[in-house]
Amino acid sequence: MKAKIKINKLKKALQLVKDGKFVHVTCFNSIGYFFKFGKSKLAWKYTHFLIENSYQLFLSRQSLSVDNLVPYSKKCEIYESVLECLEIENQQISENELQKKLQLALDEIRYFYPCDGYNIGFRRIYIRAARRKIFDIDLMLLESCIRMLQRKEHFSIYSLIQMTKYFCIDYENLRFKLNEKSIFRFEKVIEFFEKQNTQ
C-alpha cells in the first residue's frame, strides 16, 4: 500500500513537469522507500537499470549532456566497463578484481576531467552552495555508480537518489532542474518501480 502511495507521488510530480510547472528534485526522495530494510538485490537491479538505460540513450544520441569532451568510442568503453563491474558485483567475484576495474574506469573519467582529491571539482554558485563543475551528466552518473561500488556499504539510498537525478536531469548551468527533456527518463524510473511493485 505504501509503495503505491510513493509511486503515485512520483506520478504527480511527473505530471507537473509535463504541465511545465516547477518540480523540486527532492521528489526523487520517494524512491528511498523501496530500498529500505536491506533490499540490496533491488538496489543492484535499479543501479543496473539506470546505467544500462543511460547507455542505450547515449547510443541512440539522446544523451542529456551539454558538454562532450569525451570521444564517443571512449565513453562507450567507460559505460561497458561500469556495466561489467555491476555484473561482477552481482556475481560476488573477487573484490580485488572488482576494485581494480572500478579504479580503471574512474581514471578514464579523470583523464578528461582532472581533479584534486576525491571528486571532480566544485564551483561555488552562491555564498552557501557549490556544485560539481562538470557538464557531462553521463560521466556524473557513471562516477556516482563507481564511487558507490567502491565503498563497502554498497548501494546507499543517498547514492541511488543522486544517480536518479543524474539520469533524469541535464545539469545545464549547474542546476538540478526537471524539464521537458526529463519526462521520458522520469517515466522510465516510474515504470521500473511499478514493475517491481507488481512482482
Side-chain angles (χ1 to χ4, degrees), residues 36 48 69 90 104 126 134 141 188:
K36 289 182 178 178
H48 194 276
L69 297 181
N90 187 45
L104 286 171
Y126 49 89
I134 172 175
L141 173 62
K188 296 280 283 181

Side-chain angles (χ1 to χ4, degrees), residues 44-190:
W44 172 84
K45 194 172 183 180
Y46 183 61
T47 303
H48 194 276
F49 158 84
L50 290 174
I51 301 298
E52 179 62 36
N53 276 272
S54 180
Y55 185 31
Q56 292 307 315
L57 287 164
F58 171 73
L59 290 175
S60 60
R61 310 290 183 178
Q62 296 179 68
S63 169
L64 294 182
S65 293
V66 294
D67 185 11
N68 294 290
L69 297 181
V70 183
Y72 180 84
S73 60
K74 178 56 69 176
K75 191 180 279 190
C76 286
E77 285 179 23
I78 298 171
Y79 265 115
E80 288 166 9
S81 179
V82 172
L83 284 167
E84 185 180 343
C85 288
L86 279 164
E87 293 299 332
I88 290 172
E89 166 61 22
N90 187 45
Q91 296 165 21
Q92 297 182 341
I93 295 173
S94 166
E95 181 68 18
N96 286 338
E97 183 183 350
L98 172 62
Q99 292 301 328
K100 185 177 178 181
K101 286 180 177 292
L102 288 168
Q103 190 59 50
L104 286 171
L106 188 60
D107 290 343
E108 291 280 11
I109 294 171
R110 284 183 167 179
Y111 176 81
F112 294 97
Y113 288 91
C115 67
D116 296 320
Y118 188 72
N119 288 314
I120 295 168
F122 285 79
R123 179 184 298 169
R124 187 164 297 283
I125 58 171
Y126 49 89
I127 194 167
R128 294 173 188 262
R131 293 284 185 270
R132 300 288 298 283
K133 57 178 183 181
I134 172 175
F135 293 97
D136 190 324
I137 202 70
D138 296 332
L139 293 188
M140 287 180 74
L141 173 62
L142 289 162
E143 186 206 26
S144 184
C145 179
I146 292 167
R147 289 299 187 189
M148 185 169 64
L149 291 172
Q150 282 182 323
R151 292 192 296 268
K152 298 297 181 186
E153 67 281 7
H154 295 320
F155 306 114
S156 74
I157 290 174
Y158 172 80
S159 294
L160 293 166
I161 292 169
Q162 284 297 107
M163 288 174 63
T164 305
K165 294 177 189 176
Y166 298 154
F167 178 70
C168 292
I169 294 165
D170 60 21
Y171 197 58
E172 192 169 8
N173 301 319
L174 305 182
R175 297 295 190 275
F176 287 112
K177 289 185 178 179
L178 289 157
N179 55 35
E180 65 280 357
K181 291 185 279 186
S182 308
I183 292 170
F184 175 74
R185 291 163 179 255
F186 200 160
E187 287 173 337
K188 296 280 283 181
V189 168
I190 292 172

Side-chain angles (χ1 to χ4, degrees), residues 2-3 6 29-43 155-158 160-161 193:
K2 194 163 184 181
K6 297 294 184 182
N29 291 352
S30 296
I31 72 168
Y33 168 78
F34 299 96
F35 304 110
K36 289 182 178 178
F37 319 114
K39 295 184 178 178
S40 60
K41 282 189 177 180
L42 179 61
F155 306 114
S156 74
I157 290 174
Y158 172 80
L160 293 166
I161 292 169
F193 290 109

